[in-house]
């Protein structure tokens, strides 16, 4: 006979869909590299930096998604700089990962800044602490830095006041040169009113004597 009394009918599953890229890898005592999707980040764990097999989770959120994530954690937003130079990168475990004084390396893809420099900032959204600036080496569109913890990382563009002043001065010099050329042209035309092209005056026909055709 058919038995329809299935014991698992009351069991339900949940499918979670996230709007950001995620990746999980396991790294042990021998170390290893984790290359995040699309090459936006690379993590390098040296040998001996981890005491046991550890699951490393990397999440990448765009600007708006990162700001919404901060709001959900009731964490403070980042005020440094004037624009983003990267997406938000969240690495878990979010607290200290490596053993002792050892660190691991993060290479993060950034958008270079033409009028200043790029700075890297970190915060642990679990502890509700403020943002901390991290020393980083910028080579082209890659920022390289070393840390011993996970958490939230992001790059920001900051103005270099000397470059901004220099760019502004260059624009002013060009404008001043154009004004000088226009002024010199006006002065020249006013001093030579006899020229037909001066100040847009029309050309004047030449006055030649009319020959006497009746004269023999």
């Amino acid at each position: 006979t058919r038995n329809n009394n299935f014991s698992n009918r009351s069991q339900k599953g949940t499918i979670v869909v996230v709007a950001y890229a995620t990746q999980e890898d396991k790294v042990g005592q021998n170390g290893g590299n984790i290359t995040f999707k699309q090459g936006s980040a690379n993590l390098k764990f040296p040998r001996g930096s981890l005491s046991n097999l550890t699951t490393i989770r990397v999440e990448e959120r765009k600007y708006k998604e990162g700001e919404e994530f901060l709001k959900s954690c009731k964490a403070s937003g980042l005020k440094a700089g004037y624009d983003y130079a990267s997406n938000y990168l969240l690495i878990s475990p979010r607290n200290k990962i490596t053993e002792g004084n050892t660190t691991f390396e993060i290479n993060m893809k950034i958008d270079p800044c033409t009028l200043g420099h790029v700075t890297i900032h970190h915060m642990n959204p679990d502890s509700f602490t403020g943002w901390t600036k991290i020393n980083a080496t910028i080579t082209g569109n890659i920022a390289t830095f070393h840390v011993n913890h996970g958490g939230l990382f992001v790059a920001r563009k900051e103005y270099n006041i000397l470059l901004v002043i220099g760019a502004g001065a260059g624009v002013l010099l060009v404008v001043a040169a154009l004004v000088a050329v226009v002024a010199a042209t006006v002065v020249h035309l006013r001093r030579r009113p006899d020229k037909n092209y001066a100040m847009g005056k029309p050309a004047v026909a030449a006055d030649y004597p009319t020959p006497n055709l009746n004269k023999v």
Side-chain angles (χ1 to χ4, degrees):
T1 61
R2 182 177 180 181
N3 183 4
N4 292 327
N5 186 20
F6 296 106
S7 60
N8 62 349
R9 282 187 171 181
S10 61
Q11 297 179 1
K12 297 180 180 180
T14 301
I15 298 177
V16 179
V17 179
V18 294
Y20 48 86
T22 64
Q23 181 174 328
E24 285 189 357
D25 291 277
K26 295 184 181 296
V27 183
Q29 293 179 342
N30 291 329
N33 297 340
I34 299 176
T35 300
F36 193 62
K37 300 173 183 178
Q38 302 174 348
S40 57
N42 176 265
L43 282 60
K44 297 181 179 180
F45 291 86
R47 181 188 295 270
S49 59
L50 300 175
S51 60
N52 49 42
L53 191 63
T54 305
T55 299
I56 306 297
R57 179 182 175 89
V58 183
E59 303 173 8
E60 183 181 20
R61 289 175 167 84
K62 295 182 179 180
Y63 315 147
K64 294 297 183 181
E65 297 168 354
E67 292 173 355
E68 290 298 326
F69 173 74
L70 289 172
K71 291 180 181 179
S72 67
C73 297
K74 297 181 180 179
S76 59
L78 181 58
K79 305 299 182 183
Y82 67 92
D83 196 8
Y84 287 101
S86 75
N87 291 331
Y88 283 91
L89 196 68
L90 180 62
I91 299 176
S92 300
R94 302 176 186 179
N95 50 9
K96 192 173 185 296
I97 299 177
T98 56
E99 290 294 311
N101 295 325
T102 60
T103 61
F104 66 98
E105 180 180 286
I106 300 178
N107 296 284
M108 186 165 64
K109 188 175 181 180
I110 61 170
D111 182 18
C113 180
T114 56
L115 288 178
H117 56 280
V118 174
T119 55
I120 306 299
H121 302 265
H122 166 265
M123 187 190 68
N124 186 344
D126 292 337
S127 60
F128 306 105
T129 57
W131 290 91
T132 303
K133 184 181 292 187
I134 297 178
N135 293 328
T137 301
I138 309 298
T139 306
N141 65 338
I142 299 295
T144 302
F145 49 97
H146 296 82
V147 293
N148 60 4
H149 47 70
L152 197 61
F153 300 87
V154 70
R156 294 282 294 179
K157 296 179 180 180
E158 297 189 13
Y159 284 122
N160 185 325
I161 189 62
L162 295 179
L163 291 177
V164 174
I165 292 175
V171 173
L172 291 177
L173 287 175
V174 172
V175 173
L178 291 175
V179 171
V181 170
V182 173
T185 303
V186 172
V187 171
H188 174 74
L189 293 178
R190 287 182 176 178
R191 288 180 177 179
R192 302 293 302 274
D194 56 317
K195 295 296 182 180
N196 292 333
Y197 59 82
M199 303 302 291
K201 293 182 179 180
V204 179
D207 187 14
Y208 295 103
T210 303
N212 188 358
L213 300 178
N214 297 323
K215 185 177 179 179
V216 178

